[in-house]
């Protein structure tokens, strides 16, 4: 495409080659008519510019200023029909590439900024993230309604009988639903809504049943086992509604429990009434989830067959297990440590971890919004950065800024929850540091998960959880365990996040 149009010698006549040689310096233009009596200077005899390329540079100023290489200008010139012969005839250059190189040198670089019309795919609705943060935190009010179902007179590891079964059931639900949500999102991302509905219709009941059986195997009072089974069913229904984007429906389902918990804090309510309120919330969640699954199943079936290997969900299952373990150690570690260290049935009388857990759950909505915000700002940095080093600096600054905002919010929420929690002691410096390290580790792990590093984050968090469990059962201070375990996890995750997220290919 870059060669002259006339390749055969003397194809245009015997004078063509001679004219080409004569006109390699300046393009031929129409001569001005000269009167016989008028004297003209030699420079005025032809209507010529000092360099014919200057006019072309002015005309293509935007194209040349935006170009990152002369080849980009050459491609534009060739697409516009400029051949090597025309470059010689009109601009006195041997070929279009020479014209492009000189245009690239003549015009100063002026790369465009981000366009206002650019649609960033990572824009998130902040109000939706607020709603999701509420639906993550409001289920905790159900424990106020079901507290009497656990036998406080019989203790295991410093916990009321039945609480251990509830903890095991919770871990199973968290790990299973994490893998189920990822698989369902994978189907939805491929436009297979019916396949996602089938996945949720099969996976959610199986996960709830598995978690309920795990709690029953551990054992406890009948009321506590029923509470664990109900919680497993609710978590399965909540996973369905959250995956399908029905957070507001989940708020409706949680309304009875929220109202009932407020009444319980004001007056004493019989356990039968509390159970009815819990069953009402559970029934609403299950009914709304079933309706959404039926809607998905009524979607059109795709003609092509697509299979997703189940092995891809293993790291997400392990990640859910690790995150659940780290969270439970942060919430119940002081109680278990007291029982293990003293050998007594009773745990710690007071613990500052209640407000800390409330702060952590309330911050999950902000954590999700910051994940979207980071990706949006990284895409903007990708469009405005001129060099790879500049992109690394910008994305690193965005990462540190998002992490700082999240941890500051967690600390503020913990301070507010401590003031509102009756008789709750304030977190010390060590306890606050452990909480912030836990929150930072989880946020970094979620961010790296979003970029496809599922195995790395799962193994790092699982190693931290395993080390903390082993240390807790041997009588080590749980706060020290969290400082070491979550601190090490945060350092490793940060070391991975820096180089990985600095690659431009990760943000395309």
């Amino acid at each position: 495409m870059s060669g002259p149009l006339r390749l055969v010698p003397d194809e245009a006549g015997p004078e063509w080659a001679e004219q080409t040689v004569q006109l390699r310096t300046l393009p031929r233009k129409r001569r001005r008519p000269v009167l016989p009596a008028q004297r003209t200077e030699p420079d005025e005899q032809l209507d010529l510019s000092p360099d014919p390329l200057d006019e072309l540079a002015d005309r293509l100023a935007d194209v040349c200023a935006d170009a990152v290489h002369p080849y980009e200008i050459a491609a534009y010139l060739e697409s516009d029909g400029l051949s090597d012969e025309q470059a010689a005839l009109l601009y006195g250059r041997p070929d279009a590439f020479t014209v492009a190189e000189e245009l690239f040198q003549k015009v100063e670089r002026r790369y465009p900024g981000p366009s206002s019309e650019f649609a960033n795919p990572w824009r998130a609705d902040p109000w939706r993230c607020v709603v999701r943060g509420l639906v993550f935190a409001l289920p905790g009010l159900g424990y106020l309604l079901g507290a009497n179902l656990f036998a406080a007179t019989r203790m295991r590891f410093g916990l009321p009988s039945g609480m251990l079964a509830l903890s095991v059931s919770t871990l199973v639900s968290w790990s299973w639903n994490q893998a189920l949500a990822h698989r369902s999102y994978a189907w939805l991302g491929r436009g297979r809504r019916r396949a996602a509905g089938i996945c949720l219709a099969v996976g959610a009941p199986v996960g709830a049943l598995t978690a309920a059986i795990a709690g029953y195997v551990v054992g406890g009072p009948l009321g506590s086992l029923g509470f664990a089974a109900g919680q497993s069913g609710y978590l399965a229904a909540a996973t369905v509604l959250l995956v399908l984007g029905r957070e507001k429906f989940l708020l409706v389902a949680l309304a009875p429990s929220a109202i009932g918990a407020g009444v319980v804090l004001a007056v004493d309510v019989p356990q039968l009434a509390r159970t009815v309120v819990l069953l009402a919330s559970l029934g609403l969640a299950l009914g709304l989830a079933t309706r959404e699954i039926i809607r998905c199943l009524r979607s059109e079936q795709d003609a092509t067959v697509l299979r997703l290997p189940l092995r891809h969900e293993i790291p997400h299952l392990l990640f859910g297990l690790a995150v659940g373990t780290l969270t439970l150690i942060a919430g119940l570690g002081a109680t278990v440590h007291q029982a293990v260290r003293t050998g007594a049935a009773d745990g710690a009388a007071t613990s500052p971890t209640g407000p800390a857990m409330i702060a952590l759950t309330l911050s999950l909505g902000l954590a999700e919004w910051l994940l979207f915000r980071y990706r949006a700002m990284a895409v903007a940095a990708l469009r405005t950065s001129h060099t790879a080093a500049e992109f690394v600096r910008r994305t690193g600054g965005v990462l540190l800024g998002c992490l700082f905002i999240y941890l500051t919010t967690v600390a503020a929420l913990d301070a507010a929850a401590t003031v509102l929690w009756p008789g709750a002691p304030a977190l010390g410096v060590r306890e606050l540091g452990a909480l912030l390290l836990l929150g930072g580790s989880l946020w970094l792990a979620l961010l790296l998960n979003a970029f496809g590093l599922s195995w790395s984050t799962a193994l790092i968090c699982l190693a931290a959880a395993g080390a903390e469990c082993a240390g807790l059962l041997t009588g080590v201070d749980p706060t020290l365990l969290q400082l070491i375990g979550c601190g090490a996890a945060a350092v490793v995750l940060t070391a991975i996040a820096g180089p990985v997220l600095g690659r431009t290919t990760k943000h395309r």
Side-chain angles (χ1 to χ4, degrees), residues 21-315:
V21 174
Q22 292 174 354
L23 297 176
R24 288 178 66 88
T25 306
L26 296 176
R28 181 173 56 188
K29 292 190 177 183
R30 189 167 48 188
R31 297 175 181 270
R32 291 180 179 178
V34 180
L35 297 177
Q38 180 181 1
R39 297 185 59 184
T40 58
E41 297 295 332
D43 294 340
E44 296 178 355
Q45 292 180 359
L46 296 177
D47 183 15
L48 301 176
S49 64
D51 188 344
L53 212 60
D54 293 340
E55 180 186 353
L56 183 64
D58 293 339
R59 184 153 42 92
L60 302 181
D62 293 337
V63 176
C64 298
D66 296 346
V68 297
H69 194 275
Y71 286 174
E72 188 175 345
I73 303 175
Y76 180 86
L77 294 175
E78 290 189 342
S79 67
D80 201 34
L82 182 71
S83 63
D84 287 348
E85 175 191 345
Q86 292 171 328
L89 291 173
L90 299 178
Y91 302 107
R93 270 65 175 181
D95 51 48
F97 286 97
T98 304
V99 174
E101 290 175 358
E102 294 194 23
L103 288 176
F104 188 79
Q105 295 176 357
K106 281 178 175 292
V107 181
E108 184 181 357
R109 304 279 76 72
R110 188 178 65 253
Y111 298 113
S115 172
S116 58
E117 300 178 357
F118 174 69
N120 198 314
W122 299 108
R123 287 182 297 181
D125 183 7
W127 291 110
R128 182 181 180 184
C129 294
V130 170
V131 172
R132 291 175 74 91
L134 288 176
V135 300
F136 290 146
L138 286 179
L141 298 176
Y143 294 104
L144 293 176
L145 298 172
N148 295 335
L149 298 175
F150 300 89
T153 56
R154 290 178 293 169
M155 308 293 286
R156 298 177 65 182
F157 292 100
L159 302 173
S161 182
M163 186 63 72
L164 184 60
L166 179 64
S167 301
V168 172
S169 175
T170 302
L171 286 178
V172 174
S173 292
W174 279 353
S175 56
W176 181 277
N177 291 329
Q178 181 77 15
L180 176 64
H182 178 267
R183 188 170 184 81
S184 302
Y185 277 126
W187 284 118
L188 291 175
R190 289 164 174 80
R192 305 296 183 95
R193 191 169 183 84
R194 189 173 187 274
I198 295 174
C199 178
L200 292 171
V202 175
V206 172
L209 182 61
T210 303
I213 292 175
Y216 179 79
V217 170
V218 175
L222 184 61
S224 63
L225 296 180
F227 186 88
Q231 177 186 263
S232 302
Y234 167 78
L235 291 176
T239 300
V240 172
L241 294 175
L242 289 173
V243 167
L244 298 179
R246 298 295 186 266
E247 299 87 359
K248 295 181 180 179
F249 290 172
L250 198 54
L251 276 181
V252 174
L254 290 171
S257 294
I259 297 173
V263 174
V264 167
L265 290 175
V267 296
D268 189 18
V269 179
Q271 184 57 49
L272 179 60
R274 299 184 181 193
T275 304
V276 170
V277 173
L278 288 173
L279 291 177
S281 287
L282 176 61
L284 281 173
L286 292 176
L288 292 172
T290 302
R291 187 183 72 167
E292 293 303 317
I293 288 178
I294 292 174
R295 287 184 175 180
C296 289
L297 296 179
R298 289 176 178 173
S299 303
E300 295 183 4
Q301 186 173 4
D302 296 289
T304 57
V305 178
L306 180 63
R307 299 184 183 277
L308 297 179
L310 287 173
R311 66 176 182 275
H312 292 169
E313 316 309 327
I314 295 177

